[in-house]
Every structure is written in C-alpha cells, then in structure tokens.
Amino acid sequence: MTTAREAPDILSAEFAANPYAAYRIMLEERPLIWHEAMESYIVSRYEDVERAFKEPVFTTGNYDWQLEPVHGRTILQLSGREHATRRALIAPAFRGSELEHKFRPVIEANARRLIDAFRDRGSADLVTEFARRFPIGVIVDMLGLDPADHDRFQRWYTSIIAFLGNLGQDPEIAADGMRTRAEFAEYMIPVIQRRRENLGDDLLSTLCAAEVDGTKMSDEDIKAFCSLLLAAGGETTDKAIASIFKNLLEHPDQLAAVRADRSLIPKAFAETLRYTPPVHMIMRQPAEDIELGGGVIPAGSTITCLIGAANRDPRRFADPDRFDIFRTDLPTQTAFSAAASHLSFALGRHFCVGALLAKTEVEVGMNQLLDAMPDVRFDEHGPHTEEGVFTRGPASLQVRFTPTP
C-alpha cells in the first residue's frame, strides 16, 4: 500500500519558493487538505475549483472578514438581485466604447510616460519601473484624480495587497491595512461628494451618475469599489505584464513569434494567466455541507481554491507544466470572458468585471514595450525570481535592450 505524499505546508518557505512542486503532489494525491492554521479546507483540482466558482451553494461570505476590513463592503459580498444591480451599475464602464474610446488613451499615455523614462537607457527593471506602477497610474487617471497623487495610491495599493495576502496574520500588516482604509476613505469621500456636484468625463463621474431601476451607488459604495479596483485591477495587470515578459524571455521562439505578430499578445496573456497566474488562491464558503475533493466540507467553512494548481491540472490541460501560447486547449476568444478555460478571473456570477480592462492594459503595455525594446533580453546579472503565495509574480525583471529614441 502506497502512502500519499505530504505537500509542503502552504505557509512554509519551501512552498513560497516553488508552489508548483507542491501543486503536483496535491493534484495527484491530496485533492482536499484541512489546514489548521488557516482554518480552511484547500482544494486544488480543476473540477473542484470550477464548482466552487460556479455553483450557487458556494458563497462569498468569507469576504466579510477577508475583504471588508480593508475595503468596506464590496460587490464581491453581494448576491442575488442586489449583486446583479450593482454589477449593472459598474460593468458598462469596463467594456465596449467606454473602455475603447474613453480610457484607452489614458492607458496609452501612462505606458508611454513610464517607458520614456528608460527607453534611451538600454536597461530597465520591468517590475519596479513599469509593471508595478502602470496599472495604478491608469486607475488614478481613469478616476479623474490628481496625477500628483500617483505615489500616494501606489503606497495604498501596496498596503492593501499585503493585507489581503497576510495568511500568517502578521499584526503589523493588519494594522497598516486598517490605516490605509481610514486614509483612503478620508481622501475619497470628499472627492466623490465634489464630483457628484460637478460631473465630468471620468470613471468616478460615471460611477456617481450610474442608475439602474432607480438605484444609485452611495458614497461609501463608490469608495469601496475604488479601493477594490485599486487592489484587484492593479495586482492582476502588475503581475501579469511582468510574468508575460518573463515567460516569453524564457521561451525565445515564442517571444520572436509575438514580436513578429502582435495579434498573438492575447494568446500570450491567456497562457500566462493559466501557467503563472497573478492570483493563486481565492476563497469561498459553502452554505451547506458539500462533497468536494473526495471529502465532505461542513457548511460555513472556508475553502481555499488554488487557482495556480487548478490551471495546471493534467485532467484539464495537456502537458500543463509547459508554457505554450499556441496550445489548443485554451481558446483565446473566450479567455477574457466568463466562459474562460483558465480560472484566473474566477467564473460564474463573480467573474472579474475588469477582465477586458486588464486585457487592454496588457495589449497596450506589451506593444509599447516591444516597440521600445525590439531586442529585449535578460540582464544576465539581474535576478528573475518569483515571489508571493496569495498573489505571485516576478520580484524583479532586469532586462537589456538597444536604446531607442
């Protein structure tokens, strides 16, 4: 009789160094794990994570303690008609002509501003000089806020992401998150109130004016959504852009293909979302006892859904540990919709409302970076390691290239 192998503890340094090795053990032998310190059941297989995202019995009640302390009450905690109404108020700003005609120029200007700072230098850290700052600048400018506050929002973003990833419950990280919530509210609520009185052509004005069936968002609703947008919208694009470049630089033939045919950028993004997703875990909470992962999970328990593992489940993807932008089991035409094959934007009613914004940011950023760095390559002296457990991406990505004017 063979005994199932123990996967490295999810809070251990070994797991943080290489979660994919642990994921293989979980997928093969430990599809359901009870983690005492996290007080959570951990599931890793694609079919189990897909069920947790799609089936109504799995709720987002866990966000009452996970997200609300730092954001306030957000759309992710709502259900039924209340959720549908709130989504109808928000979603139009993140698709179609609103996104393409109103906000694409904002995205292009932010990418150009950051790239201009290093394009003639011949070297850059694509994490600290571009990926980490790009989406936050876009969000600040989309909302129509003071560009001088980019650095302030960057600090708030860093604090919120640390709070959300604080699986070990470090009290200093928790306290800093609480300070950020107070500071963010103190900044945003007066801005929202002034914007209601003087609507403009920005995202904040759109949120203030939005109305569905007589329902409008309160000042607190808008503030909480802006806080959520800062975290969710920033982290996905931040980690994704750095990871796309790292993956392509490690696969020069695929980088050459993307450089020659920019229509392949969405494929490279979709495969990166599967292979090295920005967010590695999302929690859910069952409303009743539920069979999952070969066991029974009691009602009200927290379930940690390992997206990073599910996206590499060999039951769903062929040769899952291989990065391949040409794979046939990951359709690009659905990769940024609720019908996506990967799980990185979640699925079902809580599918990421900003998926198309992230896609647009990645396409603009990738195109401008490839134009500015036609022969981009790893700096042989720079570190290219990944970091993070809750969210994950390159900690640094030092590259060299021939300077461009």
Side-chain angles (χ1 to χ4, degrees):
M1 180 177 178
T2 304
T3 303
R5 292 174 293 168
E6 287 289 334
D9 186 274
I10 201 168
L11 300 181
S12 68
E14 181 182 0
F15 183 93
N18 181 15
Y20 300 105
Y23 292 159
R24 283 192 288 272
I25 297 174
M26 294 176 183
L27 289 167
E28 293 169 11
E29 304 176 36
R30 303 295 304 275
L32 179 64
I33 296 173
W34 165 250
H35 195 284
E36 187 69 36
M38 291 173 58
E39 298 183 349
S40 176
Y41 290 89
I42 299 173
V43 296
S44 52
R45 289 182 177 171
Y46 187 97
E47 63 176 349
D48 294 329
V49 175
E50 181 183 39
R51 282 187 60 200
F53 288 163
K54 281 187 170 182
E55 295 181 9
V57 69
F58 296 96
T59 76
T60 56
N62 53 286
Y63 289 149
D64 293 351
W65 57 264
Q66 188 183 10
L67 296 186
E68 189 167 342
V70 74
H71 290 309
R73 189 163 179 78
T74 72
I75 186 175
L76 295 178
Q77 296 164 262
L78 306 181
S79 59
R81 181 172 177 77
E82 187 180 14
H83 174 266
T85 300
R86 182 71 60 81
R87 194 173 180 97
L89 287 166
I90 292 169
F94 294 91
R95 65 185 184 219
S97 60
E98 282 282 305
L99 175 59
E100 187 62 26
H101 300 302
K102 184 184 292 186
F103 298 129
R104 178 179 280 269
V106 173
I107 296 168
E108 291 172 342
N110 271 275
R112 188 163 50 248
R113 174 177 59 83
L114 292 170
I115 294 170
D116 283 349
F118 60 75
R119 69 165 68 242
D120 62 351
R121 199 172 70 218
S123 66
D125 183 338
L126 293 185
V127 172
T128 61
E129 296 184 74
F130 187 84
R132 196 169 289 165
R133 306 192 70 84
F134 175 47
I136 306 307
V138 168
I139 290 168
V140 171
D141 292 352
M142 284 178 63
L143 289 169
L145 302 175
D146 188 343
D149 289 328
H150 278 200
D151 288 343
R152 181 186 298 193
F153 275 80
Q154 196 75 39
R155 176 170 56 80
W156 285 336
Y157 161 67
T158 302
S159 173
I160 293 170
I161 292 301
F163 181 93
L164 298 177
N166 188 21
L167 301 178
Q169 298 301 303
D170 184 313
E172 292 187 9
I173 293 175
D176 188 61
M178 294 297 93
R179 284 192 297 271
T180 291
R181 173 176 172 165
E183 290 174 9
F184 191 77
E186 184 179 4
Y187 176 97
M188 284 300 303
I189 294 296
V191 173
I192 293 167
Q193 292 170 344
R194 290 194 298 270
R195 199 63 53 88
R196 286 192 189 279
E197 298 172 358
N198 187 22
L199 295 176
D201 196 33
D202 51 70
L203 176 58
L204 192 57
S205 296
T206 299
L207 297 174
C208 288
E211 184 172 347
V212 173
D213 297 332
T215 298
K216 301 183 74 171
M217 295 173 70
S218 69
D219 294 351
E220 176 62 28
D221 292 337
I222 294 173
K223 185 273 298 180
F225 177 73
C226 291
S227 179
L228 179 65
L229 178 63
L230 187 64
E235 191 72 347
T236 301
T237 308
D238 170 355
K239 298 288 193 292
I241 288 180
S243 293
I244 291 172
F245 264 95
K246 181 174 184 292
N247 291 335
L248 290 175
L249 285 165
E250 289 174 344
H251 299 81
D253 56 330
Q254 296 183 59
L255 174 59
V258 172
R259 185 185 292 118
D261 180 1
R262 303 297 178 82
S263 71
L264 294 175
I265 289 175
K267 286 184 176 292
F269 185 20
E271 175 65 346
T272 292
L273 288 171
R274 184 202 68 82
Y275 182 71
T276 50
V279 179
H280 272 236
M281 57 186 72
I282 289 179
M283 280 69 167
R284 289 289 185 264
Q285 185 173 301
E288 59 190 52
D289 293 356
I290 194 79
E291 290 188 14
L292 195 71
V296 177
I297 298 177
S301 302
T302 299
I303 302 174
T304 299
C305 304
L306 294 182
I307 295 170
N311 278 344
R312 293 199 183 199
D313 190 339
R315 298 162 190 79
R316 178 62 182 81
F317 297 103
D319 199 3
D321 292 323
R322 176 171 57 90
F323 178 80
D324 180 9
I325 66 173
F326 299 107
R327 64 171 54 247
T328 58
D329 50 8
L330 188 69
T332 309
Q333 62 268 27
T334 59
F336 309 99
S337 73
S341 299
H342 65 81
L343 301 173
S344 298
F345 287 130
L347 296 172
R349 63 194 182 282
H350 287 293
F351 176 80
C352 177
V353 73
L356 291 178
L357 171 62
K359 177 176 181 287
T360 304
E361 289 177 303
V362 166
E363 289 177 349
V364 168
M366 286 286 292
N367 269 300
Q368 289 199 25
L369 285 167
L370 289 171
D371 287 344
M373 306 183 301
D375 58 351
V376 62
R377 56 199 180 276
F378 279 131
D379 183 334
E380 61 274 18
H381 302 298
H384 312 121
T385 56
E386 293 183 354
E387 67 177 5
V389 175
F390 181 73
T391 61
R392 187 173 180 84
S396 174
L397 194 62
Q398 303 278 353
V399 299
R400 290 190 175 277
F401 53 91
T402 300
T404 56

